[in-house]
């Protein structure tokens, strides 16, 4: 798990260039479930990576502090989010004062933590009435070509089932919402987005190249103009402490 989590450091620029962002409706839902506006809220964005979520939280008026363990990701963060404070650390040992934030966010990052350690840390750092928000950008498998691609990925990596989405106990009751959205990108960018995922980053160059050659061959007839509509359902879970 640690190897995959740190694999992003060597591919931070790829990650920043091709990973999807998040729709405004997601942040509307965060405000609704936490019961307070993001504007003026003190937010710790943990596992901030290259700052995709951090930048959007800041645009909503939040006072954001990023927490990121990886050297490469932190360097890319400083390039893409100049002026936004970032500290080195992770959710298992937050380098933050007790009772110092209104909201802790994990965008695509909670599954890299050890809940036995990250839950007590979240409770320690949150102010009374604060909230923990976890979300993941999932591809929308109600779309046939996406469902077929996901099945190919499961077969290739011999995935038997997901376990990393279990919501933690000991932090409060979670409320969950799904927010759908899409983006139009080139086929090249779509494949680069897939290649930025940790499973490929640790796979090895030869097998990765072979997989994407086959994937391109399958997708080109579906998108003859070279433009892909990636459709997503963001799974958001919020617990108020």
């Amino acid at each position: 798990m640690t190897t995959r989590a740190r694999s992003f450091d060597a591919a931070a620029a790829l990650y920043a260039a091709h990973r999807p962002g998040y729709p405004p409706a997601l942040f509307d839902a965060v405000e609704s479930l936490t019961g307070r506006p993001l504007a003026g809220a003190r937010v710790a964005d943990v596992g901030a990576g290259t700052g995709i979520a951090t930048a959007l939280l800041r645009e909503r008026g939040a006072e954001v502090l990023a927490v990121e363990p990886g050297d490469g990701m932190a360097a890319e963060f400083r390039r893409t989010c100049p002026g936004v404070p970032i500290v080195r650390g992770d959710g298992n040992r937050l380098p933050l004062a007790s009772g110092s934030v209104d909201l802790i966010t994990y965008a695509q990052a909670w599954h890299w933590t050890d809940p036995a350690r990250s839950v007590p840390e979240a409770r320690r750092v949150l102010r009374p009435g604060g909230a923990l928000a976890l979300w993941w950008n999932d591809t929308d498998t109600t779309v046939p070509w996406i469902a077929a691609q996901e099945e190919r990925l499961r077969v290739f990596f011999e995935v038997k089932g997901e376990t990393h989405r279990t919501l933690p106990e000991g932090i409060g009751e979670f409320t969950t919402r799904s927010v759908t959205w899409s983006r139009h990108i080139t086929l090249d960018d779509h494949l680069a987005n897939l290649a930025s995922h940790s499973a490929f980053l640790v796979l090895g160059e030869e097998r990765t190249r072979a997989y994407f050659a086959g994937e391109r061959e399958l997708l080109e007839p579906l998108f003859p103009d070279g433009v892909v509509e990636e459709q997503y359902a963001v799974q958001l879970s919020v617990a108020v402490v």
Side-chain angles (χ1 to χ4, degrees):
M1 181 71 81
T2 299
T3 300
R4 285 185 62 171
R6 293 302 174 87
S7 67
F8 298 114
D9 278 326
L14 178 73
Y15 192 108
H18 299 291
R19 280 296 182 99
Y22 305 101
L26 171 65
F27 300 99
D28 294 340
V30 170
E31 291 180 326
S32 175
L33 295 180
T34 60
R36 64 162 296 160
L38 285 166
R42 177 72 169 166
V43 180
D45 186 29
V46 185
T50 62
I52 295 172
T54 310
L56 295 171
L57 287 162
R58 194 184 193 200
E59 287 178 9
R60 296 290 291 238
E63 299 176 14
V64 191
L65 172 68
V67 180
E68 168 57 39
D71 294 339
M73 297 294 263
E76 188 68 21
F77 180 99
R78 293 187 181 99
R79 188 185 70 79
T80 58
C81 299
V84 179
I86 180 171
V87 295
R88 306 302 298 281
D90 60 40
N92 295 331
R93 189 162 58 183
L94 292 170
L96 306 174
S98 298
S100 60
V101 301
D102 302 302
L103 175 66
I104 299 175
T105 59
Y106 279 86
Q108 312 285 122
W110 178 259
H111 54 283
W112 300 121
T113 76
D114 172 7
R117 300 167 65 191
S118 55
V119 167
E121 278 293 87
R123 292 189 65 87
R124 179 184 66 79
V125 168
L126 284 169
R127 294 170 178 164
L132 174 66
L134 320 175
W135 68 79
W136 288 269
N137 239 342
D138 290 328
T139 52
D140 187 351
T141 54
T142 65
V143 180
W145 77 265
I146 292 177
Q149 183 174 76
E150 289 293 327
E151 180 60 24
R152 290 193 295 274
L153 289 166
R154 281 192 291 271
V155 171
F156 182 75
F157 287 109
E158 299 180 345
V159 175
K160 304 302 182 184
E162 286 188 324
T163 59
H164 66 267
R165 298 298 178 83
T166 302
L167 295 176
E169 298 180 351
I171 191 70
E173 184 176 352
F174 280 93
T175 304
T176 298
R177 288 190 186 173
S178 181
V179 179
T180 58
W181 71 289
S182 67
R183 65 172 184 167
H184 290 83
I185 59 173
T186 68
L187 176 57
D188 287 344
D189 285 339
H190 170 69
L191 295 176
N193 172 28
L194 285 182
S196 74
H197 286 254
S198 61
F200 284 110
L201 296 177
V202 300
L203 181 63
E205 185 177 348
E206 184 176 347
R207 291 188 67 198
T208 296
R209 186 187 305 112
Y211 181 89
F212 282 108
E215 196 65 18
R216 180 182 294 278
E217 187 175 342
L218 290 170
L219 294 180
E220 281 180 338
L222 299 179
F223 305 102
D225 62 352
V227 177
V228 176
E229 182 181 11
E230 289 184 341
Q231 293 176 256
Y232 292 95
V234 187
Q235 305 302 321
L236 166 68
S237 296
V238 174
V240 178
V241 301

